Amino acid sequence: MEGRSFLRFLFLLVCVFLLLLFTRTWLPLPYTTSDKDELLACSTYSSWCTSKNRIQAKSNDLLSRAGTSHLHDHHNRVPHHPLDPLTISEINLVRSVLFSSEPFASSSFTIHSFVLEEPDKSLVLKWKKGDPLPPRQASIIALLNGQSHILTVDLGSRQVTRHDVSTASGYPTMSIEDMTTSTWAPLLDAAFNRSILSRGVALSDLACLPISLGWYGKKEEDRRLIKVQCYSMQGTVNFYMRPIEGLTVLLDMDTREVVEISDRNREIPIPAATNTDYRFSQVAQKANSPSYATIPLNPISIEQPRGPSFRIEDGHRVKWANWEFHLKPDPRAGVIVSRATATDPQSGEVRNVMYKGFTSELFVPYMDPTDAWYFKTYMDAGEYGFGLQAMPLDPLNDCPRYAHYMDGVFAAVDGKPYVRENMICVFERYAGDIGWRHAESPITGMGIREVRPKVTLVVRMAASVANYDYIVDWEFQTDGLIRVKVGLSGILMVKGTPHDNMNQVPPEEEMYGTLLSENVVGVIHDHYITFYLDMDIDGTDNSFIKVNLVKEKTSPEESPRRSVLKAKRQVAKTEKEAQIKFKLYDPAEFHVVNPSRKSRVGNPVGYKIVPAGTAASILDAQDPPQFRGAFTNNQIWVTAYNRSEEWAGGLFVYQSKGEDTLAVWSDRNRPIENKDIVVWYTLGFHHIPCQEDFPIMPTVSSSFDLKPANFFDINPILRMSPNLQEDLPVCRPAASA
């Protein structure tokens, strides 16, 4: 009996330890203010610039250049723009209204979304700085007795003005608390603990992850379920590389009850911790070893002697070069860019380009059909909250010296506000690229050489969704181009294997991936990131045009040429006509134009979508994950604007059946010619892991562009000035100073 009591006590201690560990990892830290002197030290120029050439700045300028977001006074912040996110005081006000309204006043519930209910688009478009703000409202999704409640609270009247109960199949985004408690709940089950101990893993070394399970039938209906898989932390912080293969817990997320334990593949060893640590403090210790060399690079920084060229007004309005836009953090989308306008350099007119753009959904299906893997088909925005997983950015490494940082103000499961510090950074980038150039050949005798540097403005967020890290950049260029770029880094999700060399793998065995290290397989998977792009080119009524490049043969009497390419334009009249799959040997351009506005020479003004490297899903359309992720069936969709259709996987993604997705909306085939339309673009990656991805991945990136197409009458950066030597300081290495 004493032994059993001791074990119970040990289990409770471990549960408390893990709860504290994962709470520190997942839950927001308290809002703090750092020491002013430390900020000054971090914002001064680096020591390799001589004092003669160092640009001195006043203390308050240094503080503003440091961009440290904890200088922001969130408690006293008020909204200045119709799209500004809810402030701390507004969240507290809405929370008090909600907690005093039935049925929430007398029942236990949890909040899963708490954001600004944006005003009607027409009101936002009419609003000018200095005008009164439209009525401020909050949109809330709460779970009560297993049902999803959708509410709108008006801040002015302090009343609940909408209260609907969802009939959709899915559930709202998991809260951070859902994920945290799901990781330690299995420890309350004796059978689970016995399995862990029997595999030689100490409970104190255990790390577990909450894994969304998708939808595969009635067995997974009528309650919120989650699967939990665990790893060993012994000897490494990179526990992802040490999976306890074959052990999967099915858990009721609301009751914390273990529904089922699948305990297979006990013969597969837990991979060793050797060479899995990626921290610089640990990697640098090996630098003295003759067989281990560090990469000899000196620190680098781009200096701005006159300070940055961008301004951020009222906390969220960004002004840079000819661009102006509204920027805000969002718990589901991560970053939302709104009201993007460009000033025409010829006329000085401020022209609308994009009303709203953001990451709508991420779909990550793994390609292993076995019991412990088939359900790993994540939707990182709708299930986990892309913005909820955004980690504080690391100055000088995530973002350069003069970046400005923006915090996210979110609400926890109980409605209390908290601050996610340094969630977004804004900075100018110059990487030695060229904006435009021309040099005349010496044979002309003209001696002309004109070059302009390409300086761009970047808005960046990095989300760490468990093992994977996503870096999302919105890059604005002076020529009117917007580049949306996604980088993938972080750590692979791997499975254990009994093999430590490929020569041990029988020909008939399917690994569903690549052997990365001894007993470690990186499983093949895809990444799809679908973007919502509400383009408003010089107004809301736009059209989508597919410009096909068609081969046309020539006759012998017409030309010595045998064939040429011609551009043939086809206006999409309905949504189905705008469903686009890319084809290498059927090339086309994809334009969004305003047919009512013409350029100086008569072309409709517009923007075109310019793809870069991407991937397309080739899963069976009726495969349950692909049915839910049907928004990845095409690379481009165009839908009629509907403010309720923003999330490509549906409003309620968790355990949904896929009945409310972008594919369903598009199949309604609404008219889209000369209408207010939304463009959806899916950026894709096929990932066959390789050894270089172990133990942590070098970043791989892809992007797409929104590029002016007859939007400007001439080159919009013709008047851009070149860099001159006298405008820049000369910094020399300290040894030669």
Side-chain angles (χ1 to χ4, degrees):
M1 292 295 293
E2 290 180 359
R4 290 183 181 178
S5 299
F6 174 77
L7 280 176
R8 266 195 221 98
F9 178 71
L10 177 62
F11 291 155
L12 286 173
L13 281 179
V14 171
C15 289
V16 171
F17 168 78
L18 288 172
L19 177 59
L20 291 173
L21 173 67
F22 281 97
T23 299
R24 181 170 180 81
T25 303
W26 287 96
L27 292 182
L29 295 176
Y31 180 71
T32 59
T33 303
S34 295
D35 187 82
K36 180 178 178 181
D37 293 335
E38 181 181 350
L39 293 177
L40 290 171
C42 290
S43 61
T44 54
Y45 287 92
S46 51
S47 60
W48 53 264
C49 269
T50 63
S51 58
K52 177 181 178 181
N53 293 311
R54 187 175 299 144
I55 305 299
Q56 301 295 332
K58 296 180 181 179
S59 296
N60 59 350
D61 189 35
L62 286 171
L63 286 169
S64 65
R65 290 186 182 191
T68 45
S69 63
H70 47 252
L71 295 176
H72 301 159
D73 183 4
H74 292 288
H75 290 279
N76 295 318
R77 178 159 286 177
V78 295
H80 295 277
H81 188 281
L83 299 177
D84 280 358
L86 295 172
T87 64
I88 286 179
S89 60
E90 288 179 322
I91 292 173
N92 284 327
L93 171 61
V94 172
R95 182 175 181 269
S96 66
V97 172
L98 186 64
F99 275 75
S100 61
S101 304
E102 291 296 340
F104 303 102
S106 56
S107 303
S108 176
F109 67 97
T110 54
I111 294 174
H112 294 260
S113 178
F114 196 140
V115 295
L116 175 75
E117 176 81 22
E118 294 185 354
D120 286 341
K121 184 175 179 179
S122 59
L123 295 177
V124 177
L125 290 173
K126 291 176 184 176
W127 183 85
K128 300 289 188 297
K129 186 175 181 180
D131 292 346
L133 293 179
R136 297 279 287 177
Q137 297 182 320
S139 174
I140 296 170
I141 296 175
L143 272 178
L144 173 63
N145 297 327
Q147 291 184 304
S148 300
H149 293 249
I150 307 168
L151 303 105
T152 300
V153 176
D154 184 84
L155 277 76
S157 65
R158 303 190 178 191
Q159 296 292 321
V160 175
T161 58
R162 176 196 179 193
H163 184 178
D164 297 330
V165 179
S166 172
T167 59
S169 61
Y171 294 101
T173 305
M174 286 187 288
S175 66
I176 296 294
E177 290 81 356
D178 281 333
M179 295 177 246
T180 304
T181 53
S182 293
T183 60
W184 60 258
L187 285 162
L188 301 177
D189 186 270
F192 172 79
N193 291 334
R194 284 195 298 269
S195 181
I196 294 296
L197 294 171
S198 69
R199 289 173 180 250
V201 178
L203 294 178
S204 58
D205 288 330
L206 197 65
C208 300
L209 291 179
I211 301 174
S212 57
L213 72 166
W215 181 84
Y216 292 90
K218 291 188 176 297
K219 178 183 175 182
E220 294 156 355
E221 293 180 1
D222 301 325
R223 57 177 171 175
R224 287 199 309 152
L225 298 170
I226 194 165
K227 293 197 175 183
V228 179
Q229 293 183 333
C230 300
Y231 305 77
S232 172
M233 292 191 296
Q234 184 182 23
T236 182
V237 296
N238 190 356
F239 59 87
Y240 301 101
M241 291 295 126
R242 306 202 67 206
I244 304 172
E245 192 60 43
L247 179 61
T248 305
V249 177
L250 180 64
L251 186 77
D252 186 307
M253 214 184 316
D254 294 315
T255 66
R256 312 302 176 201
E257 171 196 359
V258 172
V259 177
E260 181 180 286
I261 298 177
S262 177
D263 193 356
R264 305 184 182 185
N265 304 122
R266 299 175 66 88
E267 74 283 359
I268 296 178
I270 296 174
T274 308
N275 294 326
T276 60
D277 205 319
Y278 50 83
R279 294 172 297 172
F280 182 76
S281 60
Q282 299 300 309
V283 174
Q285 290 179 5
K286 301 180 180 180
N288 296 327
S289 171
S291 61
Y292 194 93
T294 56
I295 298 175
L297 289 178
N298 293 326
I300 188 171
S301 177
I302 305 301
E303 305 298 336
Q304 293 183 292
R306 297 181 183 175
S309 299
F310 66 89
R311 303 194 314 275
I312 298 183
E313 298 182 353
D314 299 327
H316 294 278
R317 295 174 65 204
V318 182
K319 293 184 176 182
W320 175 79
N322 53 341
W323 283 105
E324 181 174 341
F325 55 90
H326 186 273
L327 178 64
K328 71 176 175 183
D330 183 83
R332 181 163 176 171
V335 173
I336 296 180
V337 176
S338 302
R339 298 292 287 118
T341 62
T343 300
D344 193 308
Q346 294 293 111
S347 65
E349 178 187 2
V350 177
R351 302 173 63 184
N352 291 317
V353 175
M354 183 177 70
Y355 180 75
K356 191 175 184 180
F358 59 88
T359 305
S360 179
E361 192 53 87
L362 300 93
F363 179 43
V364 188
Y366 281 77
M367 305 303 168
D368 187 328
T370 59
D371 178 72
W373 280 81
Y374 75 89
F375 53 87
K376 294 181 181 178
T377 54
Y378 308 100
M379 294 200 187
D380 288 335
E383 293 177 338
Y384 289 88
F386 198 43
L388 291 178
Q389 311 305 318
M391 297 294 109
L393 295 163
D394 184 24
L396 301 184
N397 294 298
D398 278 324
C399 312
R401 183 186 300 274
Y402 290 122
H404 173 92
Y405 292 86
M406 184 178 292
D407 301 342
V409 177
F410 299 151
V413 70
D414 59 358
K416 292 182 179 178
Y418 67 90
V419 176
R420 176 73 77 200
E421 292 190 346
N422 289 17
M423 178 176 163
I424 298 171
C425 70
V426 183
F427 61 91
E428 288 170 289
R429 173 158 56 199
Y430 174 57
D433 294 328
I434 297 168
W436 65 264
R437 81 177 315 278
H438 179 66
E440 279 293 337
S441 169
I443 63 173
T444 66
M446 299 176 69
I448 294 175
R449 185 177 63 189
E450 291 283 335
V451 187
R452 302 293 184 270
K454 175 177 280 191
V455 180
T456 65
L457 184 75
V458 178
V459 174
R460 174 170 294 167
M461 182 204 78
S464 300
V465 190
N467 55 307
Y468 252 106
D469 289 59
Y470 293 87
I471 306 106
V472 178
D473 286 355
W474 288 81
E475 183 174 4
F476 293 81
Q477 302 189 7
T478 51
D479 60 1
L481 182 144
I482 303 173
R483 175 164 294 159
V484 184
K485 182 179 177 182
V486 177
L488 307 180
S489 188
I491 302 169
L492 290 174
M493 182 163 281
V494 302
K495 64 184 292 186
T497 176
H499 311 302
D500 57 23
N501 194 287
M502 285 300 297
N503 60 20
Q504 301 171 350
V505 182
E508 67 277 7
E509 181 175 332
E510 179 55 67
M511 299 180 71
Y512 301 106
T514 305
L515 187 67
L516 304 177
S517 185
E518 290 79 1
N519 308 117
V520 178
V521 172
V523 178
I524 297 169
H525 58 282
D526 287 346
H527 297 264
Y528 299 103
I529 303 95
T530 298
F531 288 89
Y532 174 102
L533 307 162
D534 182 2
M535 305 299 292
D536 280 356
I537 309 300
D538 276 333
T540 57
D541 292 343
N542 289 180
S543 294
F544 179 76
I545 299 178
K546 183 181 179 184
V547 185
N548 297 284
L549 283 171
V550 180
K551 179 175 69 176
E552 187 170 288
K553 293 184 178 180
T554 59
S555 60
E557 62 273 11
E558 181 184 3
S559 171
R561 292 283 301 274
R562 299 292 297 273
S563 63
V564 294
L565 298 183
K566 286 189 173 181
K568 294 192 175 181
R569 290 165 172 80
Q570 177 185 357
V571 179
K573 298 185 181 299
T574 65
E575 290 172 313
K576 285 188 176 181
E577 291 180 9
Q579 296 178 2
I580 304 296
K581 287 182 171 66
F582 295 157
K583 300 175 183 177
L584 184 62
Y585 285 97
D586 185 13
E589 288 191 352
F590 311 99
H591 293 212
V592 179
V593 304
N594 186 329
S596 302
R597 175 150 181 181
K598 300 294 194 295
S599 69
R600 178 170 51 85
V601 296
N603 293 309
V605 299
Y607 263 66
K608 62 182 177 181
I609 299 100
V610 184
T614 190
S617 177
I618 55 176
L619 289 176
D620 189 300
Q622 298 305 310
D623 190 1
Q626 188 61 30
F627 190 77
R628 297 176 70 232
F631 52 88
T632 65
N633 288 345
N634 298 303
Q635 286 75 56
I636 293 178
W637 311 72
V638 181
T639 59
Y641 173 79
N642 184 326
R643 65 176 295 172
S644 68
E645 298 174 359
E646 291 192 335
W647 307 109
L651 179 61
F652 298 104
V653 173
Y654 198 90
Q655 287 179 251
S656 72
K657 300 178 184 178
E659 77 275 30
D660 180 35
T661 69
L662 170 58
V664 173
W665 310 332
S666 177
D667 280 344
R668 294 171 184 162
N669 211 24
R670 294 163 291 193
I672 58 171
E673 184 180 9
N674 203 14
K675 303 284 186 182
D676 193 353
I677 58 176
V678 175
V679 178
W680 308 75
Y681 184 93
T682 295
L683 188 65
F685 299 79
H686 294 308
H687 192 171
I688 303 174
C690 56
Q691 288 179 230
E692 289 80 0
D693 294 333
F694 177 90
I696 194 164
M697 291 170 47
T699 301
V700 59
S701 302
S702 192
S703 63
F704 67 94
D705 294 344
L706 302 172
K707 186 178 188 300
N710 305 314
F711 185 79
F712 299 108
D713 282 336
I714 63 172
N715 179 352
I717 53 174
L718 184 65
R719 300 174 185 174
M720 182 178 177
S721 59
N723 279 340
L724 300 175
Q725 190 70 35
E726 55 267 28
D727 291 335
L728 298 171
V730 179
C731 293
R732 301 180 179 87
S736 62

